C-alpha cells in the first residue's frame, strides 16, 4: 500500500510537476516531505526507499521553506504557518533523529520562533493575513513553540507557548516536544516592533507580553497574492485589548468558494486602497507584489513604509505608498501617498472593515468601530480626505456587485465594511488616525489637527506631534514649529525625531541631519530613518530596523543535553548601531519648541 | 518581588521575577499555584494580568497559572466559584 501511494505522489509532485521547479505548490512541498519521510523510515527495508530519499529530501531541505526566508517569517499567514510548519517538522525530526541532516540549523528554522511571537502572539483574537487566518493561537502554536524552545534552549519561546495554554496531545509530535528543564521567561528583552524583510511583514505592539496589547500588523509582501496569500498588499490589521478592531474581512470557508474567490481574496476586503469602484490588485498572481521599503522603531514611535504600486497590475496607479506611524502608546497614523497614471485621475478608496459594529461619524470623515470591550476611533485628516464620500456595506459583494455569501463553517457570519472615496483626482494624500481604546475606560486618545500650507500637523497627548507632508514632494517648513524636512512625515516626541521616508531634517538654529548613503547605494525615497533611544537619530537604508535593540540584555542560556546554539537573531545580529557612534553627539541640549501654533495654520481640535 | 495573595480567604504570596523591558518599563512574572477551577477576581493590583486571559473578572484558571505585573505589587484576591454552595 505504501509503495502504491508513494508512487502516486512521486508521479504528481516529483515527475509531472517537480517540486523543485514548482516550489510554490503549497501542499506539494509538504507532500515532498512525506515522500522523504517514508523513504527514510523504510530505508533498507524496501529498495525503492533510497530513491524516494534521494529525490525528495534534497528538494525539501533546500526549499525549506518556500514561503519564508532567513528571518523566520511565513508569507502565507498565520493559519497556514501553523499547519505547514507543523507538518514540516515531521521530516525534520526524522532526519535529525537518524543523524542525517539537521534542518534546525537552517537560518529560517533558527529564527522561526520570532514569527509567532510577533505575528501570532498569545491573546491574539484571530490570526493575520492569508487563508485560515481565523484560527487563534492554539495547540499547533504550543507544539511548535515548545519544539523550538527545546531545540534552541530558548526560555522565551517556552514562555510564549505556556502563555497560549496548556500543552495538549493534539499534534502528532506533541508527546515528545518540550523541555521541562527550561525555565520560561517572557520576551521582555525583544523589541516591541519587528520588520520581517523576507516576507514584507511588520508588527507593531504596545508590548509583547500582555495579551491585551495594542497591535498593528502591516503587509507589503514580495509573495504576491498567490496560493494562500490574498490581494491585500499595504493592508493593515489592528487588534487591541483582545479584540479584532480593524480586520481583514471575509472568510476562508473553503478554497476558491464563491465567497473566498469573490470576496475574501480581493483587495477591497482588506484595510487597503482600491479605486474607481473597488478595483484593486489581482488575485492568484505571484507578481502582485508589495514591498516594505522602510522601518523604524523607537520607544516613542514605530514607523514603516510599504509600496504596493506594483501590485496594481493594470498600471492605473503611479503611486501607492502607505506609511504607518505608531505614535505610542495608543494612536496609529496611516498615510497614503496615492497617484493615478491617468491625467484625469481616479477616485481613491480607503477601505475599513469591522467584525460587528461600525458607525460613520456625522461629518463623514471617520468612523467608530466597537467590538467586545474595545473601540477604535478612526478619523481622516487633510483636504484630500475631507472631500471623500463615506459609505457602509454589510453584504459581501463580488467584483460584479453580486452577493458572495460565506458557506460551510462561516455560513451566516457577517461583517461591516466602510469605504471613503475621494472625488476623481490625479493624486491624494490620505491621512487617518486610528485610536484603540477600552470602552469601559472613557474616550480614545485625543488628536488635534492643524492644516497648514503643505502639511498637516497632528498633535497627540504627551506633547508628541506628527507633521505630514500633503504636497507631492519638496521641503516642509513648519515655521514656528521649528523644523524643515524632506520626507513624507516627521514625528516628534520630546527630543526624539523620526523622519518617515525622507532624507533631511533641519532644526531651528541650522542643525541639520542628512541621510548617510546606504550600502547598496540606494538613497532618497528608499531611505528610512531609524531613531535609537531618545535624542538619538540614525539614518539608514534598507537595513534600518534590523536586529534587537541595544538594550537587550538577556541571552538564552544552554542547559545540559540541549544544543547551545543561539539563534542568529541573538547570536549574530548586532544590537543597535553597527558602528560605535555617539548618536547623541551634537544633539545634547536640543529641546522642543515651546509652542505649536503657527500663524499660517488653521488649527482644529478633534476628538 | 512578591505578590501578596488571598485565595478563598487564605493569605499567601507568590514570588515574581522582575525585569525591565526594552523600553525600561518594569515587568514581573511568575506562576500562581491554584486548585484548577473557575475563579472570581475580587481584587488585583493595577497593571496585573493573567498571561493567558488578560484582565478578567472571572475565568477558569489552571494549577500553575502564569501571571504578569507591570506596576506596583498589591494584593491579588481570588475566590473560587462554581463549587457546591458557592456563587455561580
Amino acid at each position: 500500500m505504501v509503495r502504491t501511494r508513494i508512487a502516486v505522489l512521486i508521479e504528481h509532485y516529483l515527475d509531472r510537476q517537480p517540486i523543485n521547479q514548482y516550489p510554490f505548490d503549497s501542499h506539494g512541498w509538504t507532500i515532498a516531505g512525506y515522500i522523504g519521510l517514508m523513504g527514510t523510515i523504510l530505508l533498507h527495508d524496501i529498495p525503492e526507499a533510497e530513491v524516494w530519499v534521494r529525490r525528495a529530501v534534497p528538494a525539501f531541505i533546500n526549499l525549506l521553506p518556500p514561503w519564508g526566508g532567513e528571518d523566520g517569517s511565513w508569507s502565507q499567514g498565520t493559519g497556514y504557518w501553523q499547519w505547514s510548519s507543523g507538518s514540516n517538522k515531521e521530516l525534520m525530526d526524522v532526519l535529525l533523529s537518524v543523524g542525517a541532516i539537521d534542518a534546525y540549523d537552517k537560518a529560517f528554522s533558527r529564527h522561526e520562533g520570532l514569527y509567532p511571537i510577533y505575528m501570532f502572539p498569545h491573546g491574539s483574537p484571530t490570526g493575520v493575513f492569508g487563508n485560515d487566518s481565523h484560527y487563534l493561537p492554539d495547540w499547533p502554536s504550543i507544539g511548535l513553540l515548545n519544539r523550538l524552545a527545546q531545540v534552541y534552549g530558548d526560555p522565551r519561546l517556552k514562555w510564549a507557548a505556556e502563555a497560549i495554554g496548556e500543552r495538549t496531545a493534539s499534534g502528532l509530535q506533541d508527546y515528545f516536544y518540550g523541555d521541562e528543564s527550561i525555565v520560561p521567561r517572557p520576551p521582555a528583552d525583544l523589541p516591541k516592533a519587528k520588520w520581517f524583510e523576507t516576507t514584507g511583514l511588520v508588527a507593531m505592539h504596545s508590548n509583547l507580553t500582555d495579551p491585551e496589547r495594542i497591535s498593528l500588523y502591516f503587509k507589503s509582501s514580495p509573495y504576491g497574492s498567490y496560493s494562500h496569500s490574498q490581494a491585500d498588499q499595504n493592508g493593515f490589521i489592528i487588534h487591541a485589548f483582545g479584540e479584532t478592531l480593524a480586520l481583514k474581512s471575509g472568510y476562508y470557508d473553503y478554497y476558491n468558494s464563491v465567497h473566498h474567490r469573490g470576496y475574501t481574496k480581493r483587495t477591497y476586503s482588506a484595510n487597503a486602497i482600491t479605486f474607481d469602484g473597488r478595483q484593486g490588485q489581482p488575485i492568484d498572481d505571484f507578481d502582485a507584489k508589495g514591498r516594505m521599503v522602510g522601518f523604524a522603531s523607537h520607544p516613542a514611535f514605530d514607523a514603516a513604509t510599504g509600496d504596493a504600486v506594483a501590485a496594481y497590475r493594470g498600471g492605473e496607479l503611479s503611486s501607492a505608498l502607505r506609511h504607518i506611524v505608531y505614535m505610542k502608546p495608543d494612536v496609529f497614523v496611516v498615510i497614503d501617498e496615492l497617484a493615478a497614471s491617468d491625467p484625469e485621475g481616479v477616485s481613491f478608496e480607503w477601505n475599513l472593515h469591522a467584525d460587528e459594529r461600525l458607525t460613520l461619524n456625522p461629518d463623514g470623515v471617520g468612523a467608530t468601530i466597537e467590538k467586545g470591550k474595545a473601540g477604535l476611533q478612526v478619523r481622516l485628516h487633510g483636504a484630500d480626505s475631507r472631500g471623500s464620500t463615506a459609505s457602509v456595506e454589510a453584504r459581501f459583494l463580488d467584483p460584479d456587485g453580486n452577493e458572495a455569501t460565506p458557506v460551510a463553517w462561516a455560513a451566516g457570519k457577517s461583517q461591516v465594511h466602510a469605504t471613503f472615496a475621494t472625488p476623481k483626482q490625479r493624486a491624494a494624500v490620505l491621512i487617518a488616525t486610528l485610536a484603540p481604546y477600552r470602552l469601559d475606560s472613557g474616550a480614545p486618545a485625543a488628536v488635534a489637527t492643524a492644516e497648514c500650507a503643505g502639511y498637516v500637523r497632528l498633535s497627540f497627548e504627551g506633547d508628541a506631534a506628527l507633521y505630514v507632508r500633503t504636497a507631492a514632494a519638496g521641503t516642509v517648513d513648519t515655521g514656528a514649529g521649528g523644523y524643515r524636512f524632506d520626507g513624507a512625515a516627521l514625528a516628534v516626541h520630546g527630543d526624539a525625531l523620526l523622519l518617515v521616508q525622507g532624507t533631511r531634517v533641519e532644526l531651528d538654529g541650522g542643525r541639520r541631519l542628512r541621510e548617510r548613503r546606504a550600502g547598496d547605494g540606494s538613497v532618497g525615497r528608499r531611505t528610512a530613518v531609524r531613531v535609537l533611544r531618545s535624542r538619538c537619530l540614525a539614518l539608514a537604508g534598507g537595513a534600518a530596523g534590523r536586529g534587537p535593540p541595544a538594550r537587550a540584555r538577556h541571552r538564552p542560556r544552554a542547559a545540559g543535553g540541549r544544543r547551545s546554539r543561539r539563534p542568529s537573531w541573538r547570536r549574530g545580529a548586532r544590537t543597535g548601531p553597527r558602528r560605535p557612534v555617539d548618536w547623541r553627539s551634537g544633539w545634547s541640549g536640543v529641546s522642543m519648541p515651546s509652542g505649536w501654533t503657527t500663524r499660517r495654520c488653521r488649527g482644529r481640535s478633534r476628538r | 518581588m512578591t505578590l501578596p495573595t488571598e485565595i478563598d480567604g487564605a493569605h499567601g504570596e507568590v514570588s515574581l521575577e522582575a525585569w525591565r523591558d526594552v523600553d525600561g518599563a518594569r515587568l514581573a512574572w511568575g506562576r500562581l499555584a491554584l486548585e484548577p477551577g473557575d475563579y472570581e477576581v475580587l481584587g488585583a493590583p493595577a497593571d496585573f494580568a493573567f498571561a493567558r486571559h488578560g484582565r478578567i473578572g472571572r475565568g477558569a484558571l489552571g494549577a500553575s497559572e502564569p501571571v504578569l505585573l507591570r506596576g506596583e505589587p498589591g494584593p491579588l484576591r481570588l475566590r473560587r466559584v462554581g463549587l457546591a454552595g458557592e456563587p455561580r
Side-chain angles (χ1 to χ4, degrees):
Chain A
M1 185 183 78
V2 171
R3 282 190 172 108
T4 303
R5 179 63 182 149
I6 296 295
V8 170
L9 297 179
I10 286 177
E11 194 278 329
H12 188 92
Y13 294 103
L14 297 181
D15 290 338
R16 181 152 45 93
Q17 186 172 294
I19 190 64
N20 56 316
Q21 292 179 33
Y22 298 91
F24 299 111
D25 179 343
S26 176
H27 291 221
W29 178 63
T30 300
I31 287 170
Y34 287 136
I35 297 170
L37 181 74
M38 295 307 299
T40 307
I41 292 169
L42 295 175
L43 203 61
H44 310 306
D45 289 336
I46 61 174
E48 300 96 316
E50 182 177 347
V51 177
W52 301 350
V53 169
R54 288 187 182 281
R55 296 196 62 189
V57 171
F60 177 89
I61 63 173
N62 281 291
L63 291 174
L64 192 150
W67 303 108
E70 296 193 350
D71 57 17
S73 59
W74 196 267
S75 63
Q76 300 224 87
T78 53
Y80 270 81
W81 166 75
Q82 62 181 359
W83 307 136
S84 298
S85 189
S87 299
N88 303 337
K89 296 293 179 292
E90 296 176 29
L91 178 56
M92 289 171 65
D93 288 329
V94 166
L95 293 174
L96 183 66
S97 67
V98 300
I101 296 160
D102 185 355
Y104 287 101
D105 252 348
K106 291 199 73 168
F108 167 80
S109 304
R110 297 199 310 271
H111 301 157
E112 187 181 3
L114 290 173
Y115 180 73
I117 280 184
Y118 283 98
M119 300 302 295
F120 205 29
H122 68 288
S124 296
T126 184
V128 294
F129 302 123
N131 295 337
D132 263 356
S133 61
H134 59 280
Y135 282 94
L136 280 60
D138 203 342
W139 62 265
S141 290
I142 294 171
L144 287 165
L145 284 162
N146 272 320
R147 179 54 169 159
L148 295 169
Q150 175 186 20
V151 170
Y152 304 113
D154 193 326
R156 296 164 300 187
L157 302 181
K158 183 171 183 180
W159 188 91
E162 291 188 355
I164 294 171
E166 300 285 349
R167 287 185 62 181
T168 69
S170 299
L172 182 65
Q173 312 99 318
D174 285 348
Y175 71 95
F176 65 81
Y177 275 4
D179 184 340
E180 294 304 316
S181 70
I182 298 174
V183 178
R185 166 163 63 76
D189 55 344
L190 291 180
K192 297 171 185 175
K194 172 79 177 165
W195 173 20
F196 291 103
E197 291 185 62
T198 67
T199 50
L201 297 169
V202 163
M204 302 174 181
H205 298 286
S206 59
N207 74 66
L208 293 175
T209 53
D210 190 337
E212 298 191 23
R213 67 185 78 79
I214 293 173
S215 304
L216 181 141
Y217 304 94
F218 184 28
K219 170 186 169 181
S220 204
S221 168
Y223 285 82
S225 59
Y226 190 67
S227 190
H228 294 295
S229 294
Q230 299 170 2
D232 53 358
Q233 306 297 358
N234 273 6
F236 67 85
I237 291 167
I238 294 177
H239 297 161
F241 313 116
E243 307 288 356
T244 55
L245 293 176
L247 57 83
K248 168 68 184 67
S249 68
Y251 300 95
Y252 180 46
D253 44 7
Y254 65 86
Y255 192 85
N256 224 21
S257 73
V258 169
H259 174 75
H260 179 241
R261 186 174 187 79
Y263 185 82
T264 306
K265 294 201 80 171
R266 306 285 171 171
T267 308
Y268 49 70
S269 72
N271 300 310
I273 297 294
T274 54
F275 61 93
D276 282 351
R278 303 195 306 152
Q279 295 183 61
Q281 305 153 14
I283 64 171
D284 300 328
D285 187 340
F286 202 92
D287 291 324
K289 298 174 185 291
R291 192 167 61 100
M292 199 68 73
V293 297
F295 171 78
S297 187
H298 179 274
F301 17 59
D302 300 322
T305 295
D307 185 350
V309 72
Y312 298 88
R313 300 269 285 144
E316 296 91 344
L317 301 186
S318 57
S319 174
L321 281 176
R322 171 165 277 182
H323 317 285
I324 296 184
V325 184
Y326 180 15
M327 301 296 293
K328 297 179 184 181
D330 48 15
V331 182
F332 297 101
V333 185
V334 177
I335 305 161
D336 287 289
E337 291 189 88
L338 305 168
S341 301
D342 186 339
E344 295 187 1
V346 299
S347 169
F348 299 104
E349 297 157 352
W350 197 91
N351 295 288
L352 177 70
H353 303 271
D355 204 22
E356 292 178 356
R357 295 184 298 280
L358 186 155
T359 308
L360 290 178
N361 294 347
D363 61 8
V365 285
T368 299
I369 290 172
E370 293 182 348
K371 173 75 186 294
K373 58 180 175 290
L376 179 72
Q377 187 177 75
V378 182
R379 286 200 171 278
L380 277 66
H381 307 265
D384 290 332
S385 302
R386 201 170 49 250
S388 64
T389 301
S391 60
V392 172
E393 175 60 70
R395 298 170 296 170
F396 298 106
L397 299 178
D398 73 8
D400 297 323
N402 300 315
E403 197 157 357
T405 306
V407 296
W409 67 268
K413 290 183 176 293
S414 63
Q415 294 164 333
V416 191
H417 324 288
T419 302
F420 300 87
T422 71
K424 217 176 231 326
Q425 55 196 92
R426 179 70 192 273
V429 176
L430 305 181
I431 306 163
T433 52
L434 301 98
Y437 61 102
R438 287 181 187 274
L439 294 179
D440 62 2
S441 61
V447 179
T449 309
E451 295 186 24
C452 309
Y455 69 97
V456 166
R457 186 185 67 215
L458 303 172
S459 301
F460 304 86
E461 295 171 359
D463 200 24
L466 181 70
Y467 300 88
V468 182
R469 184 176 62 194
T470 52
T475 299
V476 172
D477 185 347
T478 68
Y483 302 98
R484 284 167 50 86
F485 66 93
D486 286 338
L490 176 69
V492 181
H493 189 188
D495 291 335
L497 306 175
L498 182 143
L499 180 62
V500 179
Q501 194 75 1
T503 56
R504 188 171 60 102
V505 181
E506 292 178 10
L507 296 176
D508 277 350
R511 276 172 287 208
R512 182 176 297 183
L513 296 170
R514 286 181 182 275
E515 66 173 346
R516 286 199 306 259
R517 188 169 294 270
D520 61 1
S522 62
V523 293
R525 297 186 68 77
R526 275 205 62 207
T527 299
V529 175
R530 183 183 186 192
V531 182
L532 299 170
R533 304 184 185 182
S534 64
R535 228 191 303 179
C536 304
L537 190 147
L539 301 149
R546 279 182 185 154
R551 274 167 288 176
R553 295 167 298 161
H554 302 275
R555 302 184 184 284
R557 63 177 175 75
R562 291 195 305 275
R563 288 182 286 181
S564 61
R565 287 194 308 267
R566 290 164 47 209
S568 64
W569 47 281
R570 303 297 314 149
R571 182 183 58 203
R574 290 170 181 263
T575 56
R578 290 180 176 264
R579 284 180 284 182
V581 175
D582 178 6
W583 297 106
R584 297 177 183 238
S585 175
W587 285 87
S588 299
V590 172
S591 59
M592 286 293 301
S594 58
W596 291 113
T597 305
T598 67
R599 292 184 179 173
R600 293 188 292 125
C601 299
R602 292 183 290 113
R604 286 190 297 131
S605 228
R606 286 179 165 175
R607 191 176 180 94
Chain B
M1 179 186 295
T2 57
L3 177 70
T5 61
E6 182 190 323
I7 300 170
D8 283 336
H11 293 269
E13 63 181 31
V14 177
S15 293
L16 302 181
E17 189 167 353
W19 276 22
R20 292 198 180 273
D21 71 14
V22 290
D23 293 337
R26 186 161 66 179
L27 172 67
W29 72 92
R31 292 168 180 272
L32 199 58
L34 291 169
E35 286 292 323
D38 289 338
Y39 285 85
E40 181 181 5
V41 180
L42 302 175
D47 295 323
F48 170 88
F50 294 99
R52 292 175 180 166
H53 312 291
R55 293 155 186 77
I56 52 171
R58 180 173 173 155
L61 302 177
S64 182
E65 193 68 38
V67 297
L68 297 162
L69 180 64
R70 290 192 167 270
E72 294 296 321
L76 172 66
R77 299 174 56 233
L78 303 178
R79 179 175 62 176
R80 187 142 184 214
V81 294
L83 299 173
E86 292 293 322
R88 285 180 181 274

